[in-house]
Amino acid sequence: MNKKIVFSWDRLTYFLFSLPAVILYSFFFVYAVIVGINYSFTDWNGISKSYNYIGFDNYLSLFKNPNFWQSLEVTGKYALMLVIGVMALSLILALSLNSLKRFKTFTKSVYFLPAMISAVTLSLIWDQMFYRIAPKIGEALNIAALSQSPLASPKYALIAIVLVNIWQAVALPTLIFIAGLQSVPDELYESARIDGASTFKRFRFITMPFLVPTITVNMVLAIKAGVTSFDYAYTLTGGGPIKASNLIGIMIYNDAFQNMKFAMANAESVVLFVIIAVLSFVQIWLSRKGGVNGK
Amino acid sequence: MKLTIKAEGLGWRILRNVVLVLGIIIILGPLYLVLVNSFKTMPEAGRNFFALPQSLNFNNYAELLSKGEYWGYVWNTTYITFFSILLVVLINPTVSYAIARNSHKTYYKIIYFYLLLGLFVPFQVIMLPLTKIMTGIQLLNPFGLIILYGALSLTRGVFLLVNYIQQMPAEIEEAARIDGCSTFQIYYSIILRLIAPMLVTLVIMDALWFWNDFMLPLLLLNKAKEFWTLPLFQYNFKTEYSFNYTMAFTSYLMAMLPIILVYAFGQKHIIAGLTEGAVKG
């Protein structure tokens, strides 16, 4: 009898433990998603007191809107450049840092410093760097393209923003790669060396298989960061010049709060939701195929 | 070890060191320029942007700090981060423990997957409705922001903590239960201690996010200057100091200073914690 009462008290404790999380998450996350999807079927401008349901009209006009496609294209380019830059650099840095014998702690902490700073402050610093240093380099080397800040040029603005993003985003993947490298058993390298395998072959056939899970992790993080990026472009260019850096995140923000197209912005974010969901499923599918660890 | 050095070859080591030094210059270069120019007057910076300042001129600092607003923004960022972390630590381990120790029960299975669904939702999807919801319940203030951070921390927190708790042996808990401890006592005096390493990881990741976050403060607090956080202050002042750029540099430096100080003292834990969280995630 006594035992039964204790048992039910415990069940109640567990239930109460789960309650704050479930309530907060349901209201501020799940309910928000539902409200957002609901808005995407209306013509609400975000301010007026009433609105009408217009079915899929927002989505239809979105798919006919060249600005939307242009924004998706810019976002795609941005994500691609970010992924390539982050993956290549962080792999190179991880291989370099991992084999370092002296000054390892110091070097690692310098390389991780950018991850501490807020994207806004960073962007403003780089804005100044581009503005003050690019013309000097352009003058010295006689490169016309660098006669002004690359952020002011429709041709180079996106690349400049990606560079700032990479400058910060390389830190964490580098550490993840180092963790992956340290999971490779040393015996494998030694026996390969005894068999006379070249440096490249050792990298290709020993290091790479162990890195596959970390490559997947880093790639997915970088793709998601690229597709949903906002802070850097918003601070550096605000989407310009002439929509050259009009990322989907910026288009959503501007349509919702500047252009009085609140419902349309919700439709845009639902499309982004679908893109991310598809990417996430690809991630799960890829990570099931796994590397050595099968993680 | 000797074998490694011989086999790696000199060429590779030189190339590696060149790459690493170049990287350090690219990382520290801009920060160096921010530091030295914050001590210069405008004409001096115009004459020589790259050199060390001729003398340590604290006028920019005095001007920035005398306005008193800076301390307000530091205070706002600090207490928003602090109370958000408090909420994270209150709600994440409890629900994770309940899920991990009842994973055979339908209710806990459902809420586990329910909380993890958030992994698939980009922030942009909830940001627009959230601004309307928060306006509707009059929470466009730091309190609302703290509640939101708590709610948005759950997906990652539950993901990391449930896995961690499930990998822990249950014997200690069973022994405590036989000794007559209640679930709450076990949680409070045993579990919280055992999960401390993963909880530290979570706290570091979330604290860095809250401290540096731009998007949510922009949506919730931008209209009320008295609520601004450091990133909002930076963003809103980008036009104010566009002419006086040595002053701008001073403000960048002061905005970075608190987090860099924290990093200087706790870098080992911060790096270890963030790696742990990212590898497990």
Side-chain angles (χ1 to χ4, degrees):
Chain A
M1 189 65 202
N2 201 359
K3 202 179 176 189
K4 208 175 175 186
I5 293 168
V6 173
F7 181 60
S8 66
W9 266 113
D10 286 345
R11 279 179 47 168
L12 183 66
T13 313
Y14 279 131
F15 180 70
L16 290 178
F17 272 6
S18 75
L19 219 48
V22 171
I23 292 171
L24 279 178
Y25 179 83
S26 299
F27 186 68
F28 292 105
F29 204 101
V30 179
Y31 175 64
V33 172
I34 296 167
V35 169
I37 295 173
N38 182 48
Y39 283 146
S40 77
F41 294 112
T42 70
D43 63 355
W44 195 29
N45 64 11
I47 291 167
S48 64
K49 288 219 165 59
S50 66
Y51 50 79
N52 307 304
Y53 282 90
I54 54 169
F56 283 90
D57 281 10
N58 285 329
Y59 292 94
L60 291 176
S61 60
L62 204 54
F63 291 129
K64 278 186 234 149
N65 182 355
N67 284 339
F68 179 64
W69 292 107
Q70 186 262 355
S71 175
L72 284 184
E73 193 192 325
V74 168
T75 311
K77 274 188 201 161
Y78 186 90
L80 191 69
M81 288 193 281
L82 185 71
V83 170
I84 293 173
V86 165
M87 296 300 287
L89 274 176
S90 56
L91 192 56
I92 292 170
L93 289 176
L95 288 168
S96 307
L97 280 168
N98 195 45
S99 69
L100 206 62
K101 299 280 181 308
R102 280 181 297 168
F103 307 116
K104 193 169 180 171
T105 317
F106 168 78
T107 319
K108 238 168 119 175
S109 50
V110 170
Y111 274 99
F112 202 68
L113 183 62
M116 294 293 119
I117 305 165
S118 89
V120 178
T121 308
L122 259 184
S123 301
L124 292 171
I125 291 172
W126 274 99
D127 187 22
Q128 292 283 352
M129 297 297 134
F130 285 134
Y131 182 69
R132 311 215 170 264
I133 299 176
K136 287 183 183 165
I137 298 174
E139 210 175 306
L141 301 176
N142 207 7
I143 305 172
L146 285 178
S147 61
Q148 57 174 357
S149 167
L151 292 170
S153 136
K155 212 168 150 192
Y156 300 111
L158 195 66
I159 298 172
I161 299 166
V162 173
L163 287 178
V164 177
N165 197 338
I166 291 174
W167 190 82
Q168 177 162 51
V170 153
L172 198 56
T174 305
L175 287 183
I176 299 176
F177 273 139
I178 292 178
L181 286 173
Q182 280 162 355
S183 73
V184 188
D186 284 337
E187 303 92 76
L188 283 182
Y189 283 121
E190 269 157 45
S191 54
R193 224 173 263 126
I194 292 163
D195 292 345
S198 67
T199 310
F200 175 75
K201 276 197 171 153
R202 269 182 281 139
F203 177 74
R204 169 68 188 83
F205 294 106
I206 300 174
T207 317
M208 277 308 271
F210 276 91
L211 279 186
V212 169
T214 34
I215 289 177
T216 323
V217 170
N218 281 338
M219 191 129 96
V220 170
L221 289 177
I223 293 174
K224 277 189 191 167
V227 173
T228 58
S229 182
F230 176 82
D231 296 9
Y232 306 94
Y234 189 68
T235 315
L236 284 166
T237 60
I242 335 175
K243 292 194 187 297
S245 56
N246 196 27
L247 298 173
I248 186 75
I250 292 185
M251 184 170 181
I252 291 171
Y253 183 85
N254 283 340
D255 276 350
F257 301 112
Q258 319 284 330
N259 304 335
M260 309 278 286
K261 295 196 283 186
F262 191 79
M264 183 68 83
N266 276 284
E268 289 158 13
S269 58
V270 171
V271 175
L272 183 65
F273 184 7
V274 174
I275 295 173
I276 291 288
V278 170
L279 288 174
S280 304
F281 282 115
V282 172
Q283 167 201 5
I284 292 169
W285 179 72
L286 276 178
S287 57
R288 285 243 170 98
K289 284 174 67 175
V292 175
N293 300 344
K295 226 166 40 176
Chain B
M1 273 307 168
K2 267 179 203 157
L3 206 72
T4 326
I5 292 168
K6 216 187 284 172
E8 301 290 21
L10 189 66
W12 149 246
R13 268 187 296 152
I14 292 175
L15 185 71
R16 176 198 75 190
N17 291 348
V18 168
V19 166
L20 286 177
V21 170
L22 208 66
I24 290 178
I25 293 171
I26 294 173
I27 288 170
L28 293 183
L31 302 178
Y32 161 82
L33 288 173
V34 169
L35 179 68
V36 295
N37 284 300
S38 69
F39 289 108
K40 296 177 191 168
T41 59
M42 284 276 289
E44 192 192 341
R47 275 196 308 277
N48 206 338
F49 188 62
F50 298 96
L52 287 168
Q54 283 158 347
S55 61
L56 286 184
N57 155 15
F58 285 94
N59 288 350
N60 286 335
Y61 289 90
E63 190 187 329
L64 186 77
L65 297 181
S66 70
K67 280 186 184 162
E69 288 165 338
Y70 170 78
W71 297 111
Y73 304 134
V74 172
W75 168 242
N76 287 344
T77 321
T78 308
Y79 83 79
I80 289 173
T81 304
F82 177 81
F83 285 107
S84 304
I85 287 296
L86 203 63
L87 190 59
V88 165
V89 172
L90 278 177
I91 64 175
N92 275 284
T94 44
V95 69
S96 303
Y97 178 53
I99 290 172
R101 289 292 176 248
N102 295 283
S103 52
H104 52 284
K105 289 185 188 145
T106 320
Y107 167 73
Y108 293 96
K109 264 186 207 160
I110 292 174
I111 61 168
Y112 187 39
F113 284 106
Y114 179 65
L115 291 167
L116 289 189
L117 276 180
L119 290 171
F120 298 100
V121 185
F123 180 69
Q124 273 89 352
V125 175
I126 53 170
M127 81 180 189
L128 305 181
L130 272 182
T131 52
K132 297 301 167 193
I133 292 171
M134 299 311 267
T135 315
I137 55 176
Q138 308 209 328
L139 281 182
L140 285 184
N141 53 37
F143 180 68
L145 188 61
I146 290 164
I147 300 273
L148 271 187
Y149 281 144
L152 300 185
S153 76
L154 283 163
T155 296
R156 179 164 69 191
V158 166
F159 180 71
L160 290 173
L161 287 169
V162 168
N163 282 336
Y164 196 79
I165 297 172
Q166 278 175 341
Q167 282 163 11
M168 280 176 356
E171 281 92 27
I172 308 171
E173 284 167 63
E174 275 155 23
R177 205 169 288 272
I178 290 165
D179 288 349
C181 286
S182 70
T183 299
F184 183 78
Q185 281 169 326
I186 291 173
Y187 169 77
Y188 187 74
S189 50
I190 299 174
I191 298 299
L192 266 187
R193 256 148 251 208
L194 290 177
I195 62 169
M198 189 43 93
L199 205 53
V200 169
T201 290
L202 194 65
V203 164
I204 291 170
M205 293 172 95
D206 284 341
L208 205 58
W209 165 30
F210 303 153
W211 182 271
N212 284 331
D213 190 29
F214 175 53
M215 194 89 227
L216 268 180
L218 178 71
L219 294 168
L220 262 61
L221 309 179
N222 202 32
K223 282 181 189 142
K225 200 177 171 188
E226 71 269 23
F227 295 147
W228 281 358
T229 59
L230 281 170
L232 272 186
F233 150 71
Q234 287 283 274
Y235 180 74
N236 286 303
F237 272 53
K238 78 173 186 174
T239 41
E240 178 147 333
Y241 292 134
S242 60
F243 289 107
N244 191 350
Y245 67 90
T246 59
M247 188 69 202
F249 283 158
T250 313
S251 81
Y252 305 155
L253 193 82
M254 291 306 285
M256 291 188 288
L257 197 61
I259 194 84
I260 288 182
L261 284 179
V262 170
Y263 182 62
F265 289 109
Q267 43 155 307
K268 221 173 121 190
H269 299 287
I270 293 173
I271 292 180
L274 289 174
T275 314
E276 173 81 5
V279 172
K280 291 280 159 58

